[in-house]
Amino acid sequence: MAARTQLQLGTDLQRTDDFTAALGHLTAAADTFQSLPDHRQHAAALLQLGRLARRQGHTDKAVLHLREAATLPTCYPADHAQTAAVLLELSETSFEQRDHVEGVEHVGRRARRCAGTARVGDGRGG
């Protein structure tokens, strides 16, 4: 089955709460996109894996998937709407983990990088 079909099927199954089947399809899609490499689609699959893990209450796994998805556009141009979705999901997951400070700092740094700005004196540049 083609990776894009796997991604769409996994996303649809997640919406119907068929988490086991969704996980299989999303994992297969992420692995395929990583090996191609198709970084934009890989980030999309990781976003869906993060959402799935979050819905299942596995916030630690969700954060791992979402952070990986958030770092792909740093090296490879990606869709800004997708990047925003990843950052929003990561932020909400961090709050659920009661990891407010780290979540806010990570999202703030990433958002500033996307916008090409930085806080004065933070040493990170744009």
Side-chain angles (χ1 to χ4, degrees):
M1 186 178 301
R4 286 179 192 234
T5 303
Q6 294 270 26
L7 176 58
Q8 186 60 56
L9 187 55
T11 301
D12 292 344
L13 287 166
Q14 181 182 177
R15 290 183 188 133
T16 63
D17 296 333
D18 189 349
F19 297 144
T20 302
L23 179 62
H25 289 290
L26 293 172
T27 300
D31 291 346
T32 301
F33 291 131
Q34 182 178 23
S35 69
L36 288 177
D38 184 338
H39 304 293
R40 182 174 293 179
Q41 292 298 320
H42 185 209
L46 290 168
L47 170 59
Q48 292 304 319
L49 282 167
R51 285 180 172 163
L52 177 61
R54 181 176 172 217
R55 287 188 68 197
Q56 292 179 298
H58 304 295
T59 55
D60 289 342
K61 286 182 184 177
V63 167
L64 291 175
H65 292 304
L66 295 167
R67 282 188 177 161
E68 185 176 353
T71 62
L72 286 173
T74 301
C75 301
Y76 307 98
D79 179 335
H80 287 294
Q82 179 174 294
T83 302
V86 168
L87 294 174
L88 177 61
E89 196 74 24
L90 181 58
S91 169
E92 290 174 352
T93 303
S94 293
F95 279 110
E96 286 174 3
Q97 281 188 308
R98 305 207 188 287
D99 193 4
H100 307 290
V101 175
E102 182 179 342
V104 170
E105 287 177 357
H106 178 77
V107 170
R109 283 192 306 270
R110 182 69 185 110
R112 284 190 298 280
R113 250 185 252 128
C114 287
T117 62
R119 221 182 278 155
V120 175
D122 74 357
R124 291 184 178 90

